[in-house]
Every structure is written in structure tokens, then in C-alpha cells.
Amino acid sequence: MPFFIIAGAINAAIAVGFGAFGAHALKDRLSEHYLAVWETAVQYQMFHAIALLAIGILMSSALLGPSTQLSWAGYLILAGIIIFSGSLYVLSLSGIGILGAITPIGGVAFIAGWIMLIIAAVKFGR
């Protein structure tokens, strides 16, 4: 089952929906600051949804194929979406500032996921 392709597509759909929700339903309800935070969450979710699609395609193709490094990359990026974008969505709606302290954990997961993708590509190139 192409898990990361499905996860990427689901996250892309959610990002589009949340982007529209922010632009229309939240436009007059949130401050400019929190609307910008919401938009950042949407952007990072979409960027990383595309990364999940790419990882899923790489895993299911002859290009790189399944590997432990690609699996780690996918799971770390998925965790990053949940933690990074999720904390920003909740922060935007609730105004609970402490949630901003959780967001960098998601950012670290993103970075680690990208590094695992690099390792997978380097390993394949040998």
C-alpha cells in the first residue's frame, strides 16, 4: 500500500481546505497576526504534503525503492506536519501562546526528514 502517497494526498487536501477556511471564515475573526500564523501552517503543510507524495513515489519506483531511510523520512515529515502545522492551527484559534513552544519540535522533525531523504539518495548513488 502506498502509505506516503495517500498521507501526502490527504494532507494536501486538508491544506487546501484549511487555506480556504482561513481566507474566508477566519478572515474577519482572527487578528492579522494569527491569520498569518494560520497561513504559515497551511503553507508548511502543503509543502510537506508534496514531500510525502515524492517519498511515496520514490519508494514505489525503481528509482530508489523501499528503504529504511525513506520510511524514516516519510514518518518524520508526517510527524512534522502534525506537530508544526497542528500546533500553529491550534495557536491561531486559541491564542494559547505556550503552543508556540511546541512548534519547533515539528520543525526539527521536518529537518530530520529532509536529512533522511538526503541519506537515502546518497546511499542509492553508491
XYZ file of all heavy atoms in Angstrom, residues 54-121:
478
model
N 6.273 12.723 -2.918
C 7.546 12.393 -3.566
C 8.182 11.165 -2.923
O 8.677 10.266 -3.628
C 8.492 13.588 -3.503
N 8.155 11.103 -1.609
C 8.730 9.953 -0.908
C 7.972 8.677 -1.285
O 8.573 7.638 -1.560
C 8.736 10.184 0.614
C 9.774 11.258 0.970
C 9.002 8.881 1.373
C 9.654 11.814 2.373
N 6.652 8.772 -1.317
C 5.850 7.609 -1.709
C 6.154 7.153 -3.121
O 6.271 5.946 -3.388
N 6.325 8.100 -4.024
C 6.658 7.753 -5.411
C 8.051 7.129 -5.479
O 8.261 6.125 -6.164
C 6.543 9.003 -6.315
C 5.069 9.398 -6.457
C 7.184 8.751 -7.679
C 4.839 10.777 -7.051
N 9.009 7.714 -4.764
C 10.364 7.152 -4.753
C 10.380 5.736 -4.188
O 11.100 4.868 -4.689
C 11.302 8.046 -3.948
C 11.665 9.381 -4.591
C 12.403 10.268 -3.595
C 12.473 9.180 -5.857
N 9.577 5.498 -3.161
C 9.548 4.170 -2.543
C 8.897 3.128 -3.442
O 9.224 1.946 -3.357
C 8.811 4.216 -1.202
C 9.586 4.924 -0.122
S 8.710 4.924 1.455
C 9.129 3.273 2.040
N 7.978 3.556 -4.281
C 7.254 2.596 -5.114
C 7.827 2.514 -6.529
O 7.256 1.857 -7.387
C 5.770 2.960 -5.158
O 5.595 4.223 -5.760
N 8.951 3.162 -6.761
C 9.537 3.152 -8.091
C 10.869 2.425 -8.081
O 11.427 2.118 -7.035
C 9.744 4.593 -8.575
O 10.827 5.190 -7.877
N 11.364 2.210 -9.266
C 12.682 1.601 -9.397
C 13.788 2.618 -9.122
O 14.948 2.252 -9.000
C 12.842 1.025 -10.798
N 13.418 3.893 -9.025
C 14.419 4.939 -8.822
C 15.176 4.736 -7.511
O 16.384 4.632 -7.491
C 13.768 6.318 -8.869
C 14.713 7.510 -8.827
C 15.705 7.438 -9.980
C 13.943 8.806 -8.887
N 14.469 4.697 -6.396
C 15.121 4.438 -5.111
C 14.574 3.166 -4.460
O 15.297 2.446 -3.805
C 14.946 5.617 -4.148
C 15.721 6.893 -4.461
C 15.481 7.932 -3.374
C 17.203 6.647 -4.610
N 13.301 2.925 -4.603
C 12.696 1.748 -3.999
C 12.542 1.887 -2.496
O 12.989 2.862 -1.902
N 11.894 0.910 -1.864
C 11.698 0.967 -0.415
C 13.043 0.949 0.315
O 13.950 0.217 -0.066
C 10.892 -0.285 -0.097
C 10.590 -0.955 -1.372
C 11.346 -0.285 -2.466
N 13.163 1.765 1.325
C 14.365 1.748 2.152
C 14.006 2.263 3.536
O 13.025 2.989 3.710
C 15.477 2.604 1.549
O 15.221 3.980 1.732
N 14.811 1.884 4.498
C 14.605 2.341 5.868
C 14.704 3.858 5.943
O 13.919 4.504 6.627
C 15.648 1.686 6.800
O 15.512 0.266 6.697
C 15.459 2.120 8.234
N 15.657 4.432 5.209
C 15.849 5.879 5.246
C 14.647 6.616 4.680
O 14.226 7.637 5.228
C 17.123 6.276 4.481
C 18.400 5.826 5.127
C 18.742 4.363 4.824
O 18.187 3.738 3.930
N 19.666 3.817 5.597
N 14.075 6.113 3.593
C 12.882 6.756 3.026
C 11.689 6.622 3.965
O 10.898 7.558 4.096
C 12.548 6.170 1.654
C 13.410 6.646 0.489
C 13.024 5.911 -0.789
C 13.290 8.147 0.288
N 11.562 5.470 4.614
C 10.473 5.308 5.586
C 10.615 6.317 6.721
O 9.647 6.973 7.101
C 10.447 3.892 6.157
O 10.018 2.982 5.185
N 11.836 6.429 7.250
C 12.071 7.405 8.312
C 11.775 8.819 7.819
O 11.174 9.616 8.547
C 13.516 7.316 8.815
C 13.677 6.337 9.927
C 14.198 5.081 9.849
C 13.288 6.534 11.290
N 14.162 4.479 11.085
C 13.613 5.348 11.993
C 12.702 7.579 11.977
C 13.368 5.202 13.352
C 12.460 7.426 13.348
C 12.792 6.251 14.008
N 12.189 9.132 6.603
C 11.924 10.463 6.051
C 10.427 10.737 6.028
O 9.961 11.803 6.456
C 12.514 10.582 4.644
N 9.663 9.785 5.551
C 8.217 9.963 5.470
C 7.562 10.123 6.831
O 6.744 11.025 7.033
N 7.936 9.261 7.764
C 7.316 9.347 9.090
C 7.717 10.625 9.832
O 6.897 11.220 10.534
C 7.643 8.109 9.932
C 6.897 6.881 9.472
C 7.583 5.755 9.021
C 5.498 6.849 9.469
C 6.895 4.629 8.591
C 4.811 5.725 9.033
C 5.513 4.618 8.597
O 4.823 3.511 8.167
N 8.968 11.048 9.663
C 9.392 12.297 10.309
C 8.674 13.503 9.707
O 8.256 14.411 10.434
C 10.911 12.458 10.188
C 11.730 11.564 11.120
C 13.177 11.482 10.656
C 11.639 12.068 12.561
N 8.515 13.515 8.397
C 7.804 14.628 7.766
C 6.337 14.614 8.167
O 5.752 15.674 8.445
C 8.028 14.610 6.238
C 9.464 15.082 5.969
C 7.008 15.473 5.511
C 9.913 15.009 4.535
N 5.734 13.446 8.236
C 4.341 13.362 8.692
C 4.211 13.850 10.136
O 3.298 14.623 10.459
C 3.828 11.924 8.560
C 2.367 11.682 8.910
C 1.431 12.560 8.091
C 2.025 10.205 8.708
N 5.142 13.450 10.990
C 5.135 13.938 12.380
C 5.326 15.449 12.405
O 4.686 16.156 13.195
C 6.233 13.249 13.188
N 6.191 15.956 11.544
C 6.399 17.400 11.471
C 5.136 18.151 11.091
O 4.831 19.198 11.670
N 4.386 17.612 10.146
C 3.118 18.246 9.757
C 2.184 18.312 10.962
O 1.594 19.353 11.258
C 2.434 17.489 8.591
C 3.217 17.667 7.294
C 0.987 17.972 8.416
C 2.730 16.780 6.150
N 2.049 17.197 11.646
C 1.125 17.133 12.781
C 1.552 18.098 13.883
O 0.739 18.857 14.409
C 1.020 15.688 13.306
C 0.350 14.793 12.247
C 0.265 15.635 14.630
C 0.498 13.299 12.486
N 2.848 18.079 14.215
C 3.321 18.900 15.335
C 3.456 20.368 14.943
O 2.974 21.255 15.648
C 4.652 18.346 15.883
C 4.454 16.921 16.424
C 5.212 19.264 16.967
C 5.754 16.170 16.682
N 4.115 20.646 13.818
C 4.356 22.025 13.408
C 3.052 22.704 13.003
O 2.616 23.664 13.637
C 5.364 22.062 12.248
C 5.754 23.451 11.816
C 6.849 24.082 12.375
C 5.026 24.129 10.849
C 7.216 25.364 11.981
C 5.380 25.405 10.443
C 6.478 26.025 11.014
N 2.432 22.196 11.953
C 1.204 22.842 11.476
C 0.080 22.715 12.488
O -0.658 23.675 12.724
C 0.779 22.248 10.125
O 1.720 22.582 9.128
N -0.032 21.544 13.108
C -1.092 21.350 14.099
C -1.006 22.336 15.244
O -2.020 22.926 15.650
N 0.192 22.544 15.769
C 0.332 23.492 16.883
C 0.023 24.920 16.435
O -0.564 25.694 17.193
C 1.731 23.405 17.497
O 2.726 23.847 16.598
N 0.382 25.257 15.202
C 0.076 26.608 14.714
C -1.423 26.801 14.476
O -1.959 27.886 14.739
C 0.864 26.917 13.441
C 2.375 27.066 13.607
C 3.025 27.389 12.272
C 2.719 28.117 14.652
N -2.102 25.766 13.995
C -3.562 25.868 13.829
C -4.232 26.106 15.177
O -5.083 26.998 15.315
C -4.138 24.597 13.193
C -3.785 24.383 11.736
C -3.354 23.151 11.284
C -3.894 25.416 10.805
C -3.038 22.922 9.949
C -3.576 25.203 9.475
C -3.155 23.961 9.053
O -2.844 23.753 7.727
N -3.854 25.309 16.163
C -4.466 25.453 17.487
C -4.101 26.794 18.106
O -4.950 27.462 18.711
C -4.073 24.269 18.410
C -4.595 24.475 19.820
C -4.585 22.948 17.831
N -2.853 27.212 17.948
C -2.421 28.521 18.448
C -3.251 29.641 17.831
O -3.713 30.549 18.535
C -0.934 28.738 18.145
C -0.374 30.139 18.405
C -0.457 30.489 19.886
C 1.063 30.229 17.904
N -3.471 29.582 16.528
C -4.251 30.616 15.848
C -5.666 30.713 16.380
O -6.199 31.812 16.551
C -4.328 30.327 14.340
O -3.071 30.407 13.756
N -6.274 29.571 16.626
C -7.671 29.554 17.068
C -7.832 29.832 18.552
O -8.840 30.390 18.977
C -8.311 28.203 16.726
C -8.423 27.887 15.239
C -8.948 26.472 15.046
C -9.301 28.903 14.517
N -6.827 29.446 19.348
C -6.976 29.552 20.796
C -6.237 30.747 21.401
O -6.612 31.222 22.470
C -6.460 28.274 21.466
O -5.044 28.187 21.351
N -5.156 31.179 20.737
C -4.335 32.245 21.299
C -3.464 31.786 22.460
O -2.842 32.609 23.119
N -3.393 30.496 22.713
C -2.583 29.964 23.805
C -1.116 29.999 23.375
O -0.663 29.165 22.587
C -3.013 28.530 24.186
C -4.469 28.526 24.651
C -2.096 27.961 25.264
C -5.055 27.140 24.840
N -0.391 30.962 23.885
C 0.966 31.228 23.440
C 1.960 30.110 23.673
O 2.905 29.955 22.907
N 1.759 29.297 24.702
C 2.698 28.220 25.020
C 2.781 27.203 23.883
O 3.778 26.504 23.746
C 2.338 27.533 26.365
C 3.476 26.628 26.849
C 1.049 26.746 26.239
C 4.688 27.362 27.308
N 1.758 27.152 23.048
C 1.779 26.220 21.917
C 2.898 26.559 20.947
O 3.393 25.684 20.238
C 0.427 26.228 21.197
C -0.722 25.616 21.988
C -2.043 25.892 21.304
C -0.509 24.126 22.166
N 3.306 27.832 20.938
C 4.424 28.229 20.088
C 5.715 27.528 20.473
O 6.626 27.396 19.647
N 5.806 27.046 21.712
C 6.995 26.322 22.158
C 7.048 24.904 21.588
O 8.112 24.294 21.527
C 7.028 26.274 23.683
N 5.911 24.375 21.162
C 5.840 23.029 20.598
C 6.225 23.038 19.122
O 6.804 22.083 18.615
C 4.422 22.450 20.779
C 4.098 22.315 22.260
C 4.254 21.119 20.062
C 2.642 22.016 22.546
N 5.932 24.127 18.450
C 6.125 24.230 17.008
C 7.539 23.866 16.559
O 7.692 23.131 15.570
C 5.737 25.641 16.530
O 4.402 25.928 16.981
C 5.776 25.748 15.023
N 8.594 24.329 17.242
C 9.947 23.979 16.783
C 10.242 22.481 16.776
O 11.084 22.026 16.002
C 10.865 24.713 17.767
C 10.045 25.843 18.273
C 8.643 25.323 18.328
N 9.554 21.719 17.607
C 9.733 20.266 17.583
C 9.320 19.722 16.215
O 9.993 18.863 15.645
C 8.945 19.590 18.726
C 9.469 20.064 20.083
C 9.002 18.062 18.609
C 8.581 19.686 21.254
N 8.228 20.251 15.695
C 7.809 19.872 14.348
C 8.808 20.310 13.295
O 9.068 19.581 12.331
N 9.390 21.486 13.494
C 10.419 21.955 12.569
C 11.640 21.052 12.557
O 12.207 20.764 11.502
N 12.028 20.580 13.725
C 13.155 19.641 13.816
C 12.798 18.324 13.110
O 13.635 17.736 12.415
C 13.555 19.404 15.290
C 14.545 18.251 15.417
C 14.131 20.679 15.887
N 11.562 17.876 13.261
C 11.131 16.662 12.565
C 11.194 16.863 11.050
O 11.631 15.961 10.318
C 9.718 16.261 12.998
N 10.787 18.039 10.575
C 10.911 18.336 9.142
C 12.362 18.230 8.687
O 12.676 17.577 7.691
C 10.412 19.748 8.820
C 8.914 19.929 8.809
C 8.379 21.160 9.169
C 8.049 18.932 8.416
C 7.014 21.373 9.137
C 6.680 19.132 8.386
C 6.150 20.360 8.744
N 13.250 18.901 9.412
C 14.669 18.907 9.042
C 15.228 17.485 9.049
O 15.931 17.073 8.111
C 15.466 19.834 9.981
C 15.047 21.290 9.759
C 16.973 19.661 9.758
C 15.525 22.246 10.844
N 14.901 16.723 10.087
C 15.383 15.341 10.171
C 14.842 14.507 9.005
O 15.561 13.676 8.435
C 14.983 14.726 11.507
N 13.594 14.742 8.628
C 13.018 14.029 7.485
C 13.746 14.346 6.190
O 14.045 13.449 5.394
N 14.045 15.616 5.982
C 14.793 16.001 4.778
C 16.190 15.391 4.792
O 16.698 14.963 3.752
C 14.857 17.519 4.642
C 13.544 18.126 4.231
C 12.713 18.882 4.998
C 12.902 18.016 2.951
N 11.596 19.243 4.268
C 11.688 18.721 3.021
C 13.235 17.372 1.766
C 10.803 18.828 1.941
C 12.356 17.474 0.679
C 11.156 18.192 0.779
N 16.827 15.358 5.949
C 18.165 14.752 6.053
C 18.093 13.262 5.726
O 18.963 12.728 5.020
C 18.778 15.012 7.440
C 19.145 16.503 7.567
C 19.999 14.119 7.686
C 19.532 16.937 8.963
N 17.058 12.582 6.192
C 16.910 11.158 5.877
C 16.697 10.960 4.374
O 17.189 9.971 3.810
C 15.757 10.542 6.671
C 16.019 10.451 8.178
S 17.575 9.640 8.627
C 17.260 7.978 8.092
N 16.005 11.875 3.731
C 15.833 11.795 2.277
C 17.187 11.960 1.579
O 17.493 11.237 0.621
C 14.830 12.850 1.798
C 14.492 12.859 0.317
C 13.985 11.507 -0.157
C 13.465 13.946 0.029
N 17.998 12.885 2.064
C 19.345 13.063 1.515
C 20.156 11.777 1.680
O 20.821 11.318 0.738
C 20.061 14.248 2.194
C 19.373 15.562 1.834
C 21.552 14.270 1.833
C 19.783 16.741 2.731
N 20.095 11.190 2.872
C 20.851 9.950 3.135
C 20.387 8.843 2.200
O 21.212 8.082 1.651
C 20.720 9.551 4.623
C 21.456 10.562 5.497
C 21.234 8.131 4.857
C 21.180 10.417 6.988
N 19.086 8.728 1.980
C 18.564 7.707 1.071
C 19.100 7.914 -0.346
O 19.482 6.952 -1.022
C 17.032 7.724 1.072
N 19.135 9.160 -0.786
C 19.621 9.451 -2.137
C 21.109 9.168 -2.254
O 21.568 8.604 -3.252
C 19.318 10.912 -2.490
